[in-house]
Amino acid sequence: METISSTTQPKKVSPKSPDAREAELSKLGNNLVTKFHVLMRVSQIYDSKNVALSQFINEFLETINTLIKESGILSLKIIRDDFFLNDQRLRYSVEGFTSFKYLSTQWKKRLIGEVIFKTLVGEEMLRHFIYAFINLEEGREENADLLKKQLESHQITSIEVNPLETVEGEEGEESFTLRKEDHREVGKKIFFETIGTIKEVITNIKGNQSADVRKLKRLAQKAIHLVIEDESILLGMTMIKNYDEYTFNHSVNVSIYSLAIGKRLGFSKKILTELGITALLHDIGKSKIPREVLNKPASLNGEEWEMMKKHPLMGVEIVLNLKQLGEINPRMVVGVFDHHLMNDLSGYPRLFLKKEVSLFGRIIQIADAYDAMTTPRVYKKIPFTPEQALAVMLREKTVHFDPLLLKIFIGLVGIYPIGSLVLLNTHEIGIVYKSNHDPKLLDRPILLLVDRDQTGGVQKELVDLTEADETGNYRRSIVKTLDPYKYHIDIAKYFL
Ligand SMILES: [Fe+2]
Ligand SMILES: [Fe+2]
């Protein structure tokens, strides 16, 4: 299938396999590191006004601007001994080794850990940057700040630098928990920023204004990075069911579940990004449906239902009219189109010809159904518990869902999905916080204990159900799940 041509991506390529894409990025990354290395070297020889420098500057510019055009942003970061290009670790080629080594030593000496180019870069800008960079005194902790100030003095705001992150005692308990906490903070930021952005996009579309999808893409990329590191953080966030802002929360939750499924399917980062954006936009067509219909507490009449059934098609129209169409691949449009088309081709939109539901569509369906069922709505104030929702989905399995994907999804959320309230054999009550990755231990997740006697504050004690006592038996086991609404427990609180 041909990809849609784009103004931002002059050299649009046809869909590639994940391996090919990774190879391409690694080639570009190696090129970038080499050019950076050469530029640093020559700028230490020539002064900033020297004409001989232009050639190297221009070569470097070409490399970075190609990458910025493709991804919207370029971040080159050092973590321990590796370089990461937009969060993807660069494997250096044999020829590239010297450049990698040189660059990482130079950065580390100056305690700089990351350089981000936020927009396309021009020659003057780059000259200022590279000279400010090489003139940094070695070993000064405030170097990143100093460099920032220097750039600001030249009105350069689109290049950002961050200090080197030192990881002391790598396997030490302390730095491990610290990193975990960081991830949680990052997760919250991404989660709420994405809700804000999708709200902005929907508001713009309602007002017939154009919407920027690049921001969504950047957020999706950040989310993917986190999902790959530790999916339980964002999965936990999906428990923050915000009743008033259903549409926005729903889009973000569907995106998180979809990404987690995509990760299990081994999708490349590029495909994951597309899936993430498609899921964020899957219900965008609803922005054209009157609020009264969307929020009607009673069941819809014939005319209203007909209107509702048009939202996938309206979504397609909106997506095709988005400003940065170059960011949209046909499989994303199809995913929006068929997210209510069931496995047996019931559902909507009605088709004249038989068509297989697309993979994106099948993934989003599962994420969509699960989130909708577990969220309180105007017409169903008390939602299904995660367990009940999965039971309903399993019952409808072959008719409505792709059975294999559903199996993957259940493996992902566990028999006791994240956010379930459970009773233990020790008479304690806990909330499932993280599922166990070992398929044989799906019934032994990590729990947050809920202190029953406490009235106000949330107490957070984590326990691992695989933990054994002195006799070698499990210390705690789940007896059954409980309905949080009956116990007046606000699950969301435990994930914030
Ligand atoms: Fe929908
Ligand atoms: Fe939906």
Side-chain angles (χ1 to χ4, degrees), residues 196-206 211-212 216 281 284:
T197 309
I198 194 80
K199 195 171 174 178
E200 215 177 278
V201 168
I202 291 176
T203 316
N204 282 349
I205 286 167
K206 272 197 175 142
D212 190 349
L216 283 182
L281 297 175
I284 196 84

Side-chain angles (χ1 to χ4, degrees), residues 187-410:
K188 269 187 225 172
K189 202 163 165 262
I190 297 172
F191 183 77
F192 290 109
E193 240 180 270
T194 313
I195 290 182
T197 309
I198 194 80
K199 195 171 174 178
E200 215 177 278
V201 168
I202 291 176
T203 316
N204 282 349
I205 286 167
K206 272 197 175 142
N208 291 321
Q209 285 169 285
S210 58
D212 190 349
V213 280
R214 276 177 307 189
K215 207 165 162 192
L216 283 182
K217 183 177 177 181
R218 278 198 290 277
L219 286 162
Q221 283 168 336
K222 285 188 191 170
I224 288 159
H225 184 66
L226 192 61
V227 165
I228 290 173
E229 286 267 336
D230 185 351
E231 64 191 16
S232 67
I233 292 176
L234 284 176
L235 283 174
M237 300 275 159
T238 62
M239 292 316 294
I240 309 166
K241 307 282 192 187
N242 193 333
Y243 183 77
D244 301 319
E245 311 242 310
Y246 172 72
T247 320
F248 316 124
N249 265 56
H250 172 67
S251 311
V252 176
N253 290 353
V254 169
S255 192
I256 293 172
Y257 293 130
S258 301
L259 287 179
I261 299 175
K263 175 189 157 188
R264 298 280 163 115
L265 291 174
F267 285 0
S268 69
K269 280 194 182 169
K270 180 175 181 272
I271 308 279
L272 282 176
T273 310
E274 290 177 359
L275 176 63
I277 301 172
T278 313
L280 282 173
L281 297 175
H282 79 281
D283 272 339
I284 196 84
K286 285 191 181 170
S287 57
K288 299 287 180 197
I289 296 175
R291 246 194 137 78
E292 310 80 74
V293 179
L294 284 179
N295 295 335
K296 194 176 171 185
S299 45
L300 303 177
N301 64 34
E303 197 188 328
E304 289 163 338
W305 184 230
E306 280 312 309
M307 196 188 290
M308 194 65 146
K309 281 199 288 194
K310 283 194 186 130
H311 83 264
L313 209 57
M314 290 196 270
V316 167
E317 199 183 323
I318 292 168
V319 168
L320 288 175
N321 279 315
L322 282 173
K323 211 165 71 183
Q324 294 82 19
L325 197 58
E327 313 277 349
I328 307 287
N329 179 293
R331 67 179 143 247
M332 301 164 77
V333 183
V334 177
V336 172
F337 175 78
D338 61 16
H339 80 272
H340 284 289
L341 201 61
M342 296 304 173
N343 212 24
D344 63 348
L345 290 183
S346 61
Y348 54 90
R350 272 257 162 269
L351 297 181
F352 296 109
L353 288 170
K354 264 201 162 191
K355 156 191 179 309
E356 248 184 39
V357 183
S358 70
L359 183 55
F360 277 16
R362 279 178 280 153
I363 294 174
I364 293 171
Q365 261 163 32
I366 291 176
D368 182 56
Y370 181 75
D371 185 65
M373 274 193 265
T374 53
T375 309
R377 306 289 296 276
V378 235
Y379 45 82
K380 193 174 186 304
K381 292 246 161 65
I382 296 175
F384 286 123
T385 63
E387 194 193 16
Q388 289 166 336
L390 288 183
V392 173
M393 289 167 77
L394 270 172
R395 228 181 298 136
E396 298 175 349
K397 137 172 123 193
T398 38
V399 192
H400 285 168
F401 306 107
D402 178 326
L404 193 70
L405 287 178
L406 186 60
K407 210 170 161 185
I408 292 177
F409 184 69
I410 292 172

Side-chain angles (χ1 to χ4, degrees), residues 144-205:
D145 274 337
L146 288 172
L147 189 50
K148 248 177 241 172
K149 287 204 184 93
Q150 290 236 34
L151 293 174
E152 274 165 20
S153 72
H154 294 289
Q155 276 85 47
I156 300 171
T157 50
S158 55
I159 305 180
E160 201 181 300
V161 280
N162 292 314
L164 186 71
E165 287 165 22
T166 41
V167 191
E168 283 165 32
E170 248 179 66
E171 301 314 321
E173 193 70 21
E174 212 172 296
S175 65
F176 177 72
T177 18
L178 205 70
R179 261 184 280 153
K180 271 263 165 287
E181 272 314 302
D182 280 355
H183 281 158
R184 199 157 287 285
E185 286 310 310
V186 170
K188 269 187 225 172
K189 202 163 165 262
I190 297 172
F191 183 77
F192 290 109
E193 240 180 270
T194 313
I195 290 182
T197 309
I198 194 80
K199 195 171 174 178
E200 215 177 278
V201 168
I202 291 176
T203 316
N204 282 349
I205 286 167

